Amino acid sequence: MRLWLTGIVLVLQLLLATRLEAAAEQPQGAIVQLGGETILVVQSAAGAQSPERLARHLSNEITSLAEDYSFDPTRISTKADPPYVMVGIREEDGGFKPLLAIDERAASLAKTSQSALAKRDAQAIQTGIKRYRIQRTPGAWLRGTAIALLVLLGYVLLIQLERRLNQRATTWLGGRASRRFPDISLAGNRLISRGHIQRSLQLGRGALHWAALAAISYLMVPLLLSFFPPTMGLAADLREQMLLALQQLWGGVLNVVPNLIALVLLGAIVITLLKLNRRVFRALESETIRFDWFYPEWALPTARITTILIVAGGLALALPYIPGSTSRAFQGAGVFLGILAALGSSAIATNILSGLMLIYTRGFREGDRVAINSIVGTVQERALLVTRILTPLNELVSIPNAMVIANPVTNYSLASRELGQPVAVNACITIGYEVPWRQVHTLLLEAAATVDGICQEPAPNVVQTSLNDWHVSYELDARIHDANQYRAILSRLLAAIQDSFATAGIEILSPAYEVQRDSNGLTIPPRGSSAR
């Protein structure tokens, strides 16, 4: 079966090439027809007569001669009549009736002499008349009918073959082939499933099936009409239309092929650059490749920017080679997209530039604990347009990058990661003057020593920040291992301070408040309450 199909394809290609070469070699001019068939081409008419008018006149004259069966075609001959060579009819009385005058211009266009061109045209008229009469004999009708029946039989067999091939293709696509179709995924997301691929192929098979039936039927019509004299002219017209369509299609393909080659080369270059870009920045991110001026967290955003630039550059270079890129519809679509981009470009560009500034100034990165505009939390995403922060209450806050760049950013994780200095938590309390400051220092340090997550190096320290009217302000500073545990460690530290001072029987006077003191009691929990 495959050999048969290959043979049919080769024969069709050979016939198409032959017809295209014949059409290319055929001289241009007015066509003289007899019974719908071309018998000669008039490229130039003598005198002031146009080739088209002369061709119509000759077609009518020759048709009248062909239908007059008493006329002998051998009477068509030539006669020199300077400056012309005449093609005409020799009368029985020795006279000569001219049909066509050949001048030097017509001979030069035909690249031959006047006499040779005249003899060639006379022979073509004789042959055309004889063929016209032979084709209209009863035997020719019977032969044409027999051939038409054979062609119809071949048409039916070809239709049956095509239907069987279509049924096999349907079964194959729905059976074994469907299990081989892969799912098309991108970044872990399934874009096109196996079922979508199967249905698309089935639709393509159906379209190809009906297109093949239509093409076979359309090619069969002029072939059948060409076997019968009354419809030979219609068959010739249909063949000319088909040939013209094939010539236009072939010309379009030849015009498009260089552009397609250029697009394929550009596509290959862009794909190669994208792969190289991805590998280089992956190496920079994993620090396989190192530069003192390039930080690993720059790799991913820089890779995205360079990817956009490579794709945009490829599209700009490919635009002139895209078929229809110079059409008004294509230009109108470009104008529409430009208007949309202009309408939304201001705010988007501001946020994108702000995002790039945040990336390359290294203010923070994903996973850092930050405080932005009174919003404290862990950075979940740092995109070109927005920054997303997860608060301790599991609230995801999206902040436009333009707002981020306009406000101070406190990064609790940067010092530990970049400088090796853990971030500090601090607790401020106020104690009355009656309590020795050394005892307050000791109690605060003891409280810090009982809290998990506080570093012992550097050790916690206490500073006295101010001497107030009624009490002294003390501040405990302690370093922590994990900045993301800042809130939890601070809570445990404050609880430990309360327990430590309650056990020692010392009243904490912060926050400050006014109360009538009669020395009957203090604001200290009962002893042992911390144990509970």
Side-chain angles (χ1 to χ4, degrees):
M1 186 64 68
R2 292 182 179 177
L3 293 176
W4 277 97
L5 291 176
T6 304
I8 292 172
V9 171
L10 291 176
V11 170
L12 291 176
Q13 290 179 345
L14 180 61
L15 290 175
L16 177 59
T18 304
R19 292 303 301 272
L20 291 176
E21 290 177 0
E25 295 175 357
Q26 185 177 0
Q28 301 296 321
I31 297 174
V32 179
Q33 291 186 337
L34 176 59
E37 294 185 356
T38 300
I39 59 174
L40 59 90
V41 178
V42 178
Q43 294 181 279
S44 176
Q49 200 173 22
S50 66
E52 291 76 14
R53 184 177 179 182
L54 177 60
R56 287 195 299 269
H57 174 71
L58 282 176
S59 298
N60 295 331
E61 289 289 334
I62 295 172
T63 301
S64 299
L65 294 174
E67 292 178 350
D68 182 8
Y69 284 85
S70 63
F71 175 77
D72 185 4
T74 59
R75 292 169 56 187
I76 303 293
S77 63
T78 62
K79 179 184 177 181
D81 188 9
Y84 305 109
V85 176
M86 310 301 293
V87 177
I89 305 171
R90 290 194 178 275
E91 302 290 352
E92 294 180 354
D93 57 0
F96 188 84
K97 179 183 178 182
L99 295 175
L100 176 63
I102 305 297
D103 57 6
E104 291 184 358
R105 184 170 182 274
S108 64
L109 290 175
K111 298 180 181 179
T112 185
S113 63
Q114 288 179 263
S115 59
L117 180 58
K119 290 180 181 179
R120 190 177 69 186
D121 289 349
Q123 184 64 38
I125 295 173
Q126 290 181 11
T127 303
I129 292 174
K130 292 176 182 179
R131 185 169 62 248
Y132 179 85
R133 291 175 177 177
I134 292 172
Q135 289 173 347
R136 280 155 179 79
T137 61
W141 275 92
L142 292 175
R143 184 171 56 253
T145 303
I147 296 174
L149 291 175
L150 290 176
V151 170
L152 282 175
L153 178 60
Y155 171 72
V156 173
L157 293 176
L158 191 59
I159 292 295
Q160 292 296 328
L161 175 62
E162 198 282 332
R163 286 183 175 177
R164 288 187 180 181
L165 290 176
N166 180 62
Q167 291 175 355
R168 290 188 178 181
T170 304
T171 305
W172 183 73
L173 289 174
R176 292 182 301 170
S178 63
R179 295 189 292 270
R180 300 178 182 178
F181 298 147
D183 292 335
I184 299 178
S185 302
L186 179 63
N189 299 313
R190 187 173 65 177
L191 299 179
I192 303 176
S193 65
R194 181 183 305 173
H196 288 113
I197 297 176
Q198 182 182 5
R199 286 191 291 272
S200 299
L201 290 177
Q202 289 288 11
L203 287 174
R205 175 206 50 76
L208 184 62
H209 166 65
W210 290 108
L213 290 179
I216 294 171
S217 302
Y218 187 70
L219 292 173
M220 193 63 59
V221 170
L223 182 60
L224 290 174
L225 294 178
S226 64
F227 297 133
F228 304 99
T231 56
M232 285 182 179
L234 180 59
D237 292 339
L238 290 175
R239 284 197 298 268
E240 290 298 326
Q241 291 179 2
M242 292 180 187
L243 185 60
L244 180 60
L246 289 175
Q247 288 176 342
Q248 292 176 348
L249 179 62
W250 182 251
V253 169
L254 291 179
N255 291 332
V256 168
V257 164
N259 292 340
L260 291 179
I261 294 175
L263 289 175
V264 169
L265 291 176
L266 281 173
I269 294 172
V270 169
I271 291 173
T272 303
L273 290 177
L274 289 176
K275 290 183 177 179
L276 180 62
N277 175 72
R278 184 167 57 252
R279 291 183 179 180
V280 168
F281 283 103
R282 281 182 178 175
L284 288 171
E285 186 178 20
S286 62
E287 296 189 85
T288 304
I289 300 176
R290 293 184 180 182
F291 296 103
D292 294 337
W293 49 269
F294 193 91
Y295 296 93
E297 60 266 26
W298 289 355
L300 182 58
T302 308
R304 291 174 180 171
I305 295 171
T306 53
T307 298
I308 294 173
L309 293 177
I310 291 171
V311 173
L315 289 176
L317 293 175
L319 184 61
Y321 302 101
I322 297 176
S325 60
T326 58
S327 64
R328 292 189 176 183
F330 197 94
Q331 294 172 356
V335 171
F336 177 72
L337 292 176
I339 292 173
L340 291 180
L343 291 175
S345 60
S346 178
I348 293 175
T350 301
N351 284 292
I352 289 177
L353 292 176
S354 300
L356 293 176
M357 290 180 63
L358 290 173
I359 290 171
Y360 291 105
T361 55
R362 303 178 66 242
F364 55 84
R365 67 183 186 185
E366 294 179 2
D368 285 356
R369 179 181 175 83
V370 297
I372 302 174
N373 196 22
S374 73
I375 299 173
V376 181
T378 304
V379 178
Q380 294 294 303
E381 183 181 1
R382 184 184 56 182
L384 286 178
L385 295 177
V386 297
T387 297
R388 292 184 172 87
I389 296 177
L390 184 65
T391 68
L393 301 178
N394 285 331
E395 299 168 341
L396 189 63
V397 181
S398 297
I399 308 175
N401 285 333
M403 184 179 295
V404 176
I405 206 71
N407 288 277
V409 178
T410 303
N411 191 333
Y412 297 96
S413 304
L414 182 64
S416 177
R417 183 180 67 250
E418 300 289 338
L419 306 177
Q421 298 292 330
V423 69
V425 296
N426 62 79
C428 296
I429 62 172
T430 54
I431 304 296
Y433 282 98
E434 69 277 6
V435 181
W437 63 268
R438 293 179 181 81
Q439 184 181 5
V440 175
H441 283 214
T442 302
L443 292 174
L444 288 173
L445 295 176
E446 290 176 353
T450 62
V451 178
D452 294 332
I454 290 182
C455 302
Q456 298 304 316
E457 286 294 334
N461 67 296
V462 180
V463 294
Q464 295 169 217
T465 59
S466 64
L467 300 176
N468 307 311
D469 291 338
W470 313 106
H471 43 62
V472 181
S473 296
Y474 298 88
E475 180 180 306
L476 171 63
D477 295 325
R479 305 294 194 275
I480 61 175
H481 294 290
D482 188 1
N484 290 324
Q485 298 294 321
Y486 187 97
R487 181 184 175 91
I489 294 175
L490 179 59
S491 176
R492 292 198 296 269
L493 178 60
L494 294 176
I497 291 173
Q498 286 182 276
D499 291 341
S500 178
F501 279 83
T503 303
I506 298 174
E507 180 182 22
I508 298 176
L509 300 180
S510 57
Y513 56 90
E514 293 184 4
V515 64
Q516 294 292 333
R517 305 301 299 268
D518 56 2
S519 301
N520 291 328
L522 301 174
T523 56
I524 301 174
R527 292 184 183 276
S529 61
S530 61
R532 294 195 300 267

